[in-house]
């Protein structure tokens, strides 16, 4: 029997949360050590999964399946593919960094227990292939984050945590209704099934109106989580009032549940509706990119500036998803990872400045590159990765998204490209005000980065540089799963609302995972990636080499 690594990834941090919660309160150092060991063990299992993941396979791997509530068609069904693989690995990497890097102010035992429970829920959300299991995990993320913000946040933490909880819970109501409705509508002879593959096979039997309404229900829930304009207003408050570790997890992991949910459950379950209503999502994305950038430039609080930058950068991901090209979608998935690394690092750095100066007001910070040159250099590198400087990770994702979108939705790509310019404006302007000039008062005496903080940032910096220079290992694993999704979208939309300008290589999918049952799994092909001349290249090749090949 194969080792149930995915089940282990879900329950290991949950077990860690339980162990930490029953440790003696008087021995807080024990809680820190035990929690960190559980988080590192989770990272080791995630690394093992990454190494053992088969390249070139589009379907789900390491699948765990067990009947849970058979009378309602609910099962413990987990799987990982190229779309979720690096989200799981990034989650396992970010949590130990967030727990060990920033300072914890007050009651570390309870804080770390909530963090481990939150990690279990996030991992479970990325791995769930049963709609009921996903909903449980998705909802479970709300509770730990609410207590992390309200218990360890800043002065206005109660308001921010309540606003976060109400917004996301209201969005989840749409998700619950959508899940129940699609399961009931696709039931056969009264037999229900919450299995993602089973439901996806039956959705095509629904009417166009039903599919569109269900798609909107799912998308509203995930749009709140992303968050997309105009459902974003909870995010700046939550980021600003959360403790540093909470802001890191919120930006790097929790927001990705929204973009991942749109792709995995919105586009995959309702491909026709996704194509028909895609322009609405594209418009919301580009508005959010422009609006977020403009508002970020006006912020006086450095942490709030980074928070609004997330609204802008996450628009790139949604833009890539609804481009319906291999380049765009691969870039969108890669940008989920890039944003997690870059913005997570930015929040760590802002937290370091706050711990030293006890202020986040840009007007009170100046000349810090003289008193803290290491912090200044690291901040510059991370900031440039968010801007999209070639050679760093942000460039690869944004380049693929814009190239892919330009092939199918040219005007949205043109407007979206202004987001790159605006990002350079507000980030460079903020850096100039905070780090340039002559330091005076407390700014002149500020301490530089210590070894613990450097160790926490080092993995993120390595990821930022590695992806920027050599993204091929990631794209080689992402692209087959992306092509499989695009193949499914094109097959379900034979009227070619998705322009087919080239056909990619055959994508291998196991028969048990083939949702388009009217054709053999071996004949499943990628939807389209290329140009009108019929020349095609994978997203990996587009990012690392100009070579392309002709399709007969």
């Amino acid at each position: 029997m194969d080792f149930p690594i995915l089940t282990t990834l879900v329950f290991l941090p949950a077990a860690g949360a339980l162990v930490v919660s029953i440790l003696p309160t008087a021995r807080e150092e024990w809680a820190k050590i035990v929690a960190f060991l559980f988080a590192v063990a989770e990272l080791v299992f995630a690394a093992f999964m990454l190494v053992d993941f088969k390249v070139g396979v589009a379907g789900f791997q390491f699948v765990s399946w067990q009947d849970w509530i058979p009378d309602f068609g609910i099962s413990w069904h987990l799987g990982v593919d190229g779309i979720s693989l690096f989200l799981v690995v990034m989650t396992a990497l970010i949590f130990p960094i967030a727990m060990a890097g920033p300072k914890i102010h007050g009651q570390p035992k309870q804080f770390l227990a909530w963090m481990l429970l939150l990690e279990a829920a996030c991992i479970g959300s990325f791995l769930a292939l049963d709609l009921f299991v996903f909903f449980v995990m998705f909802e479970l993320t709300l509770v730990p984050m609410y207590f992390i913000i309200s218990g360890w946040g800043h002065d206005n933490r109660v308001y921010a945590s309540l606003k976060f909880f109400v917004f996301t819970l209201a969005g989840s109501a749409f998700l619950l209704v959508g899940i129940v409705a699609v399961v009931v509508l696709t039931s056969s002879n009264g037999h229900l099934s919450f299995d993602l593959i089973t439901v996806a096979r039956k959705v095509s039997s629904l009417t166009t109106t039903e599919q569109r309404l269900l798609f909107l229900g799912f998308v509203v829930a995930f749009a709140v989580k992303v968050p997309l304009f105009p459902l974003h207003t909870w995010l700046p408050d939550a980021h600003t009032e959360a403790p540093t570790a909470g802001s890191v997890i919120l930006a790097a992991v929790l927001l990705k549940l929204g973009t991942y949910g749109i792709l995995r459950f919105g586009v995959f379950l309702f491909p026709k509706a996704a194509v028909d209503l895609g322009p609405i999502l594209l418009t919301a994305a580009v508005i959010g990119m422009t609006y977020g950038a403009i508002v970020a430039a006006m912020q006086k609080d450095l942490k709030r500036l980074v928070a609004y930058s997330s609204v802008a950068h996450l628009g790139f991901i949604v833009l890539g998803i609804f481009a319906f090209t291999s380049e765009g979608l691969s870039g969108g998935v890669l940008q989920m990872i890039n944003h997690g690394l870059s913005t997570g690092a930015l929040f760590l750095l802002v937290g370091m400045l706050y711990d030293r100066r006890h202020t986040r007001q840009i007007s009170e910070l100046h000349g810090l590159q003289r008193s803290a040159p290491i912090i200044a250099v690291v901040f510059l590198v991370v900031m440039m990765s968010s801007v999209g400087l070639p050679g760093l990770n942000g460039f690869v994702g944004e380049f693929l998204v814009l190239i892919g979108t330009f092939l199918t939705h040219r005007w949205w790509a043109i407007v979206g490209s202004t987001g790159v310019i605006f990002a350079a404006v507000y980030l460079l302007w903020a850096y100039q005000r905070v780090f340039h000039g002559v330091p005076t008062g407390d700014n002149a005496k500020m301490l530089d980065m210590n070894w613990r903080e450097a160790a926490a940032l080092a993995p993120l910096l390595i990821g930022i540089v590695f992806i920027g220079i050599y993204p091929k290992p990631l794209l080689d694993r992402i692209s087959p799963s992306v092509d499989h999704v695009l193949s499914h979208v094109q097959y379900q939309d034979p009227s070619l609302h998705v322009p087919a300008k080239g056909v990619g290589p055959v994508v291998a999918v196991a028969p048990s995972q083939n949702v388009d049952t009217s054709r053999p799994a071996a004949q499943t092909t990628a939807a389209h990636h290329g140009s009108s001349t019929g020349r095609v290249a994978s997203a990996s090749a587009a990012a690392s080499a100009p070579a392309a090949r002709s399709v007969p």
Side-chain angles (χ1 to χ4, degrees), residues 147-486:
F147 283 107
I148 287 171
I149 298 174
S150 63
W152 289 267
H154 298 287
D155 295 341
N156 207 21
R157 60 184 180 272
V158 175
Y159 166 78
S161 60
L162 185 61
K163 190 174 183 180
F164 159 77
F165 192 86
V166 170
F167 262 76
T168 50
L169 188 64
S172 298
F174 286 90
L175 180 61
L176 177 61
V177 172
I179 288 175
V180 172
V182 72
V183 168
V184 171
L185 290 173
T186 57
S187 61
S188 301
N189 300 321
H191 297 292
L192 304 176
S193 176
F194 285 80
D195 184 75
L196 175 65
I197 304 299
T198 302
V199 173
R201 288 171 175 167
K202 298 179 178 180
V203 163
S204 59
S205 63
L206 304 181
T207 65
T208 300
T209 301
E210 289 172 337
Q211 292 185 45
R212 289 178 178 176
L213 290 175
L214 289 168
F215 175 76
L216 286 175
F218 276 74
V219 165
V220 168
F222 296 131
V224 173
K225 199 76 166 185
V226 172
L228 275 177
F229 177 90
L231 305 174
H232 65 284
T233 57
W234 65 267
L235 181 64
D237 292 320
H239 267 314
T240 304
E241 302 302 328
T244 299
S247 294
V248 171
I249 297 302
L250 183 59
V253 181
L254 255 68
L255 303 187
K256 307 311 176 298
L257 292 177
T259 52
Y260 172 80
I262 289 175
L263 176 56
R264 174 71 76 212
F265 299 96
V267 174
F268 187 70
L269 283 177
F270 312 104
K272 291 182 179 179
V275 172
D276 293 339
L277 301 179
I280 299 175
L281 277 301
L282 288 168
T283 303
V286 296
I287 291 175
M289 291 161 65
T290 306
Y291 168 83
I294 294 174
V295 176
M298 298 297 105
Q299 297 306 305
K300 300 178 181 179
D301 185 308
L302 186 59
K303 193 175 186 183
R304 202 170 182 88
L305 182 149
V306 178
Y308 272 106
S309 77
S310 287
V311 177
H313 283 104
L314 287 162
F316 268 104
I317 300 173
V318 177
L319 192 69
I321 291 174
F322 289 94
F324 292 116
T325 61
S326 182
E327 292 90 350
L329 191 46
S330 294
V333 174
L334 184 62
Q335 197 64 7
M336 295 187 207
I337 311 304
N338 294 338
H339 180 267
L341 297 177
S342 300
T343 309
L346 279 176
F347 278 115
L348 281 175
L349 290 162
V350 172
M352 294 176 193
L353 296 179
Y354 182 80
D355 288 338
R356 289 160 169 79
R357 289 286 288 106
H358 305 292
T359 181
R360 297 187 302 265
Q361 294 300 307
I362 297 175
S363 61
E364 299 178 18
L365 302 170
H366 56 272
L368 298 185
Q369 66 179 1
R370 295 193 181 184
S371 55
I374 298 177
I375 291 180
V377 170
V378 174
F379 201 105
L380 180 64
V381 172
V382 176
M383 180 196 67
M384 287 300 181
S385 74
S386 292
V387 171
L389 183 71
L392 299 176
N393 61 340
F395 172 77
V396 181
E398 292 178 1
F399 175 78
L400 288 173
V401 166
L402 291 176
I403 288 294
T405 307
F406 192 81
L407 291 173
T408 53
H409 300 91
R410 183 166 300 178
W411 288 109
W412 279 278
I414 293 173
V415 176
S417 63
T418 62
V420 179
I421 301 171
F422 288 135
V425 171
Y426 66 76
L427 286 171
L428 288 172
W429 189 31
Y431 184 87
Q432 181 185 39
R433 288 179 287 169
V434 171
F435 290 98
H436 288 184
V438 179
T440 58
D442 292 336
N443 290 318
K445 298 179 290 185
M446 195 184 84
L447 298 176
D448 207 348
M449 187 182 299
N450 59 43
W451 69 268
R452 176 177 57 83
E453 295 166 335
L457 280 167
L460 303 181
L461 292 174
I462 292 171
I464 287 170
V465 175
F466 178 82
I467 296 175
I469 296 174
Y470 191 59
K472 188 175 185 298
L474 284 78
L475 293 171
D476 282 347
R477 290 157 178 80
I478 292 171
S479 294
S481 297
V482 164
D483 289 340
H484 173 56
V485 172
L486 292 175

Side-chain angles (χ1 to χ4, degrees), residues 12-197:
L12 182 61
L18 179 62
V19 171
V20 169
S21 65
I22 62 177
L23 289 174
T25 304
R27 304 301 298 270
E28 292 181 349
E29 66 276 10
W30 290 8
K32 294 179 181 179
I33 294 172
V34 171
F36 186 71
L37 289 177
F38 269 97
V40 170
E42 178 82 352
L43 178 58
V44 170
F45 279 108
F48 173 79
M49 177 192 67
L50 175 62
V51 171
D52 206 37
F53 188 87
K54 296 179 181 177
V55 181
V57 177
F60 297 102
Q61 302 183 37
F62 310 104
V63 175
S64 294
W65 186 90
Q66 181 65 45
D67 268 333
W68 185 10
I69 312 176
D71 290 344
F72 291 95
I74 297 172
S75 61
W76 179 258
H77 190 187
L78 307 178
V80 63
D81 65 351
I83 294 171
S84 57
L85 173 66
F86 292 103
L87 291 171
V88 173
V89 174
M90 182 182 67
T91 301
L93 173 66
I94 292 291
F95 268 90
I97 291 174
M99 287 190 283
K103 293 180 181 178
I104 302 173
H105 301 282
Q107 299 181 323
K109 189 185 84 165
Q110 292 90 333
F111 177 84
L112 294 169
W114 284 123
M115 287 285 282
L116 286 170
L117 182 61
L118 180 59
E119 181 176 15
C122 291
I123 294 285
S125 299
F126 289 132
L127 296 176
L129 297 181
D130 182 279
L131 295 176
F132 181 81
V133 174
F134 173 78
F135 181 78
V136 170
M137 295 295 176
F138 187 79
E139 288 301 286
L140 187 57
T141 62
L142 303 185
V143 179
M145 182 53 72
Y146 169 80
F147 283 107
I148 287 171
I149 298 174
S150 63
W152 289 267
H154 298 287
D155 295 341
N156 207 21
R157 60 184 180 272
V158 175
Y159 166 78
S161 60
L162 185 61
K163 190 174 183 180
F164 159 77
F165 192 86
V166 170
F167 262 76
T168 50
L169 188 64
S172 298
F174 286 90
L175 180 61
L176 177 61
V177 172
I179 288 175
V180 172
V182 72
V183 168
V184 171
L185 290 173
T186 57
S187 61
S188 301
N189 300 321
H191 297 292
L192 304 176
S193 176
F194 285 80
D195 184 75
L196 175 65
I197 304 299

